[in-house]
Amino acid sequence: MSFAPLFASGPIVTFHAFAALFALVLGSLQLILAKKGGMRHRIVGYVWVALMAGIALSSFGIHALRIVGPFSPIHLLSIFSLCTIVFSIWSVRRGNINAHRKAMLWLFFAALIGAGLFTLLPGRDMHQVLFG
């Protein structure tokens, strides 16, 4: 395993990948270990949401897969992720914990893990990192 392909891809890809890895670890801990609703849950949640927003926003600077001009379907996922973050925060502030929970779970499993699995396909940077 070597991180050289990430560093060679430039600062946006490097930030994007390391933010996603950190969000994966932090999100997993939040789901498995954290007591929901407490101050620790909120603080970790703020950091996780900031990471997810950074991941989504940084994707607009990555154009390795071009389908429509410089964009690909992953950019639609990024827009949807940003909208989901806003919806989730709005929901929890209105007391709709169920909607907040569903939105955060969707972000974790679909936007983070689901999209992350596609980065392991041959020819992608993370495939190079893990499998050489």
Side-chain angles (χ1 to χ4, degrees), residues 1 3 8 11 24 27 30-31 40 58 61 73 77-78 85 87 89 91 96 99-100 105-106 111 123 125 127-128 130:
M1 183 167 94
F3 289 111
L24 179 64
Q30 181 82 313
L31 286 174
R40 188 173 311 172
S58 66
L77 178 63
S78 295
I85 288 169
F87 171 77
I89 294 168
S91 295
N96 190 345
H100 169 75
L105 287 172
W106 182 88
D125 289 338
H127 183 273
Q128 291 290 0
L130 293 176

Coordinates of all heavy atoms in Angstrom, one line a residue, residues 1 3 8 11 24 27 30-31 40 58 61 73 77-78 85 87 89 91 96 99-100 105-106 111 123 125 127-128 130:
M1 N 0.8 -1.2 0.0 CA 0.0 0.0 0.0 C 0.9 1.2 0.0 O 1.8 1.3 0.8 CB -0.9 0.0 1.2 CG -1.9 1.2 1.2 SD -3.2 1.0 2.4 CE -2.5 1.9 3.8
F3 N 0.6 5.7 -0.6 CA -0.2 6.9 -0.8 C 0.3 7.7 -1.9 O -0.3 8.8 -2.2 CB -0.3 7.7 0.5 CG -1.2 7.1 1.6 CD1 -0.6 6.5 2.7 CD2 -2.5 7.0 1.4 CE1 -1.3 5.9 3.7 CE2 -3.3 6.4 2.4 CZ -2.7 5.9 3.5
A8 N 0.3 12.3 -5.9 CA 0.6 12.7 -7.3 C -0.6 13.2 -8.0 O -0.4 13.9 -9.1 CB 1.1 11.4 -8.1
P11 N -3.5 18.4 -4.8 CA -4.0 18.7 -3.5 C -5.5 18.5 -3.3 O -6.0 18.1 -2.2 CB -3.6 20.1 -3.2 CG -3.4 20.7 -4.6 CD -2.9 19.6 -5.5
L24 N -15.0 8.3 7.3 CA -15.4 6.9 7.4 C -15.1 6.5 8.9 O -15.9 5.8 9.5 CB -14.6 6.1 6.4 CG -14.9 4.6 6.5 CD1 -16.4 4.3 6.1 CD2 -14.0 3.9 5.5
G27 N -17.4 8.6 11.3 CA -18.8 8.2 11.2 C -19.0 6.8 11.8 O -20.1 6.6 12.4
Q30 N -19.1 7.1 15.5 CA -20.4 7.8 15.8 C -21.6 6.9 15.8 O -22.4 6.9 16.7 CB -20.6 9.0 14.9 CG -21.9 9.8 15.2 CD -21.6 10.8 16.3 OE1 -21.1 10.6 17.3 NE2 -22.1 12.0 16.0
L31 N -21.6 6.0 14.8 CA -22.7 5.1 14.7 C -22.7 4.0 15.7 O -23.7 3.6 16.3 CB -22.8 4.5 13.3 CG -23.3 5.4 12.2 CD1 -23.1 4.7 10.8 CD2 -24.7 5.8 12.4
R40 N -21.2 15.2 23.1 CA -20.1 14.5 22.3 C -20.7 14.2 20.9 O -20.0 14.3 19.9 CB -19.6 13.3 23.0 CG -18.4 12.7 22.4 CD -17.8 11.5 23.2 NE -17.7 12.0 24.6 CZ -17.3 11.2 25.6 NH1 -17.1 9.9 25.3 NH2 -17.2 11.6 26.8
S58 N -15.2 19.4 -2.6 CA -13.9 19.2 -3.3 C -14.1 18.3 -4.5 O -13.3 18.3 -5.5 CB -12.9 18.5 -2.4 OG -13.3 17.2 -2.0
G61 N -13.8 19.8 -8.0 CA -12.5 20.1 -8.5 C -11.8 18.8 -9.1 O -10.7 18.9 -9.5
P73 N -21.7 11.5 -13.0 CA -22.8 11.3 -12.1 C -22.4 11.5 -10.6 O -23.3 11.8 -9.8 CB -23.2 9.8 -12.3 CG -22.8 9.6 -13.7 CD -21.6 10.4 -13.9
L77 N -24.4 13.3 -7.1 CA -24.4 12.7 -5.7 C -23.8 13.8 -4.8 O -24.4 14.0 -3.7 CB -23.5 11.5 -5.6 CG -23.4 10.9 -4.2 CD1 -24.7 10.4 -3.7 CD2 -22.4 9.7 -4.3
S78 N -22.9 14.6 -5.2 CA -22.3 15.6 -4.3 C -23.4 16.7 -4.1 O -23.5 17.2 -2.9 CB -21.1 16.2 -5.0 OG -20.0 15.3 -5.1
I85 N -27.3 17.3 3.8 CA -26.7 17.9 5.0 C -27.6 19.1 5.5 O -27.9 19.1 6.7 CB -25.3 18.4 4.7 CG1 -24.3 17.2 4.5 CG2 -24.8 19.4 5.8 CD1 -23.0 17.6 4.0
F87 N -30.8 19.6 4.8 CA -32.0 19.0 5.3 C -31.9 18.3 6.7 O -32.8 18.5 7.6 CB -32.6 17.9 4.3 CG -33.7 17.2 4.8 CD1 -35.0 17.7 4.8 CD2 -33.6 15.9 5.3 CE1 -36.1 17.0 5.3 CE2 -34.6 15.1 5.8 CZ -35.9 15.7 5.8
I89 N -29.7 19.0 9.1 CA -29.5 20.0 10.1 C -30.9 20.7 10.4 O -31.3 21.0 11.6 CB -28.4 21.1 9.7 CG1 -27.1 20.4 9.7 CG2 -28.4 22.2 10.7 CD1 -26.0 21.2 9.0
S91 N -33.8 19.5 10.0 CA -34.7 18.5 10.6 C -34.4 18.4 12.1 O -35.3 18.4 12.9 CB -34.5 17.1 10.0 OG -35.0 17.1 8.7
N96 N -37.2 17.0 14.5 CA -37.5 15.8 13.7 C -36.3 14.9 13.7 O -35.5 14.8 12.7 CB -38.0 16.1 12.3 CG -38.6 14.9 11.6 OD1 -38.4 13.8 12.0 ND2 -39.2 15.2 10.5
A99 N -36.1 12.0 10.9 CA -35.7 12.5 9.6 C -34.2 12.8 9.6 O -33.4 12.5 8.6 CB -36.4 13.8 9.2
H100 N -33.7 13.4 10.7 CA -32.2 13.6 10.8 C -31.4 12.3 10.8 O -30.4 12.2 10.0 CB -32.0 14.3 12.2 CG -30.5 14.4 12.5 ND1 -29.7 15.3 11.9 CD2 -29.8 13.7 13.5 CE1 -28.5 15.1 12.5 NE2 -28.5 14.2 13.4
L105 N -27.8 8.6 8.0 CA -27.5 7.2 7.6 C -27.4 7.1 6.1 O -26.5 6.4 5.6 CB -28.6 6.3 8.1 CG -28.6 6.0 9.6 CD1 -29.8 5.2 10.1 CD2 -27.3 5.3 10.0
W106 N -28.2 7.8 5.4 CA -28.1 7.8 3.9 C -26.7 8.4 3.5 O -26.0 7.9 2.7 CB -29.2 8.6 3.3 CG -29.1 8.6 1.8 CD1 -29.6 7.6 0.9 CD2 -28.3 9.5 0.9 NE1 -29.2 7.9 -0.4 CE2 -28.4 9.0 -0.4 CE3 -27.6 10.6 1.2 CZ2 -27.8 9.6 -1.4 CZ3 -26.9 11.2 0.1 CH2 -27.1 10.7 -1.2
A111 N -23.6 7.9 0.3 CA -22.7 8.9 -0.2 C -21.2 8.6 0.2 O -20.3 8.9 -0.6 CB -23.0 10.3 0.3
G123 N -8.0 1.3 -12.2 CA -7.7 2.6 -12.9 C -8.0 3.8 -12.0 O -7.6 4.9 -12.4
D125 N -7.6 6.1 -8.4 CA -6.5 6.3 -7.5 C -6.5 5.4 -6.3 O -5.4 4.9 -5.9 CB -6.5 7.8 -7.0 CG -6.1 8.8 -8.1 OD1 -5.4 8.3 -9.1 OD2 -6.4 9.9 -8.0
H127 N -7.7 2.5 -5.9 CA -7.3 1.1 -6.3 C -5.8 1.0 -6.4 O -5.2 0.0 -5.9 CB -7.9 0.8 -7.7 CG -7.6 -0.6 -8.2 ND1 -6.5 -0.9 -8.8 CD2 -8.3 -1.8 -8.0 CE1 -6.5 -2.2 -9.1 NE2 -7.6 -2.8 -8.6
Q128 N -5.2 2.1 -6.9 CA -3.7 2.1 -7.0 C -3.1 2.2 -5.5 O -2.1 1.5 -5.3 CB -3.2 3.3 -7.8 CG -3.5 3.2 -9.2 CD -2.6 2.1 -9.9 OE1 -1.8 1.4 -9.3 NE2 -2.8 1.9 -11.2
L130 N -4.4 1.0 -2.7 CA -4.5 -0.3 -2.0 C -3.9 -1.5 -2.6 O -3.4 -2.4 -2.0 CB -6.0 -0.5 -1.7 CG -6.7 0.5 -0.8 CD1 -8.2 0.1 -0.7 CD2 -6.1 0.4 0.6

